[in-house]
Amino acid sequence: AAPDQLSAANSAPPLAAGSFDLAFQLHESTIDNVAVRVLAGRTMTGKQIDQLLADAGRPRSSGTSSSAPLPADDTASEGASDAVEDAVDDEAFEIDFAKLRPIIFEARDQSLRVGIRGTRFKQGDRELERPIEITAQYRPVQMMNGVSYLERIGDVGVDFPGGRRLTISQVAIKRSIQKSFAARFPPTLLDQPLTIPQTIPIDSMRGRQLRPRSIDAQAGWFSVTAR
């Protein structure tokens, strides 16, 4: 951590017992420090977020665009808002990232919570100017063959900190946000082999494919071993 950044207050936990060829341990503060420098206060579209995920090794989410407008009247019926959300759930959107902790990354009690913290969300002709958190929670799962992966717990969460009651239109766009981010927070993570780049200096490891053998999330540390 730089003088103005966060740092780990506790040492990394011991790695899981057993043999492995690769291990990494990542502290929450690493994500905070990088995200603040890169994303704090920045406005990004859904396509730009998909590109960011693709650059990090995730495939882009798929979907079709819709030009159907959202109703402008907050007094619309809840049934009407349901119809609107179905029409716009894949429509282009943009979000303003928060200046503080724009990316949520919490490794606690064998659960990994990841997400986005924003201050404004716009989709179609609807715009929300209020704090918003879009998150997904994952838990480690180990299969009978010893391979591990992360499984999402429940649906994508959309919360508006502050306690103010949502209007009907905000309820509609909340559901639309959940649908828009369902593919961006997939049901499973780390479920595909990890391919070692051909550029690393260790001849015996180049091009090898490894599978996670243990996944640990505790006290702010995310640890993975692979073989």
Side-chain angles (χ1 to χ4, degrees):
D4 63 335
Q5 292 182 327
L6 300 171
S7 60
N10 55 317
S11 300
L15 293 168
S19 62
F20 54 84
D21 298 310
L22 173 71
F24 71 83
Q25 294 183 288
L26 183 68
H27 190 261
E28 293 175 359
S29 60
T30 306
I31 304 299
D32 283 331
N33 293 338
V34 172
V36 166
R37 295 293 179 101
V38 177
L39 296 173
R42 182 177 174 183
T43 300
M44 293 188 73
T45 65
K47 287 185 177 181
Q48 289 173 321
I49 291 174
D50 290 342
Q51 182 61 58
L52 194 66
L53 292 172
D55 292 343
R58 273 272 321 281
R60 292 183 179 87
S61 62
S62 60
T64 58
S65 297
S66 169
S67 59
L70 286 163
D73 189 351
D74 283 355
T75 62
S77 69
E78 195 159 353
S81 69
D82 290 342
V84 168
E85 74 179 69
D86 291 337
V88 300
D89 58 19
D90 285 324
E91 188 173 354
F93 67 84
E94 65 180 26
I95 186 169
D96 292 352
F97 282 89
K99 293 183 179 179
L100 179 65
R101 293 189 68 204
I103 296 297
I104 298 168
F105 184 88
E106 297 175 352
R108 319 275 177 85
D109 301 321
Q110 299 309 318
S111 175
L112 182 67
R113 181 173 177 256
V114 296
I116 292 173
R117 180 176 284 110
T119 57
R120 182 185 69 92
F121 184 91
K122 186 177 188 300
Q123 186 176 42
D125 61 359
R126 279 300 172 94
E127 186 172 13
L128 289 176
E129 292 195 49
R130 61 181 296 176
I132 181 172
E133 292 184 0
I134 307 167
T135 59
Q137 195 164 349
Y138 291 87
R139 64 181 177 187
V141 174
Q142 189 167 48
M143 297 189 293
M144 295 286 291
N145 61 2
V147 172
S148 297
Y149 65 95
L150 288 170
E151 177 182 63
R152 195 179 74 200
I153 305 171
D155 297 326
V156 173
V158 180
D159 298 298
F160 301 97
R164 285 184 292 157
R165 187 180 182 89
L166 298 181
T167 65
I168 290 176
S169 63
Q170 288 171 341
V171 170
I173 201 168
K174 175 179 178 177
R175 294 172 182 168
S176 180
I177 293 169
Q178 287 177 312
K179 292 184 178 181
S180 294
F181 278 84
R184 294 176 174 97
F185 294 118
T188 57
L189 292 173
L190 294 180
D191 54 334
Q192 299 298 316
L194 308 173
T195 302
I196 305 299
Q198 296 285 352
T199 54
I200 69 166
I202 306 172
D203 293 342
S204 61
M205 293 291 288
R206 289 176 187 161
R208 288 185 57 184
Q209 288 194 330
L210 308 178
R211 300 297 297 262
R213 296 290 168 169
S214 71
I215 300 175
D216 182 59
Q218 59 172 305
W221 286 92
F222 181 62
S223 307
V224 177
T225 67
R227 181 161 57 89

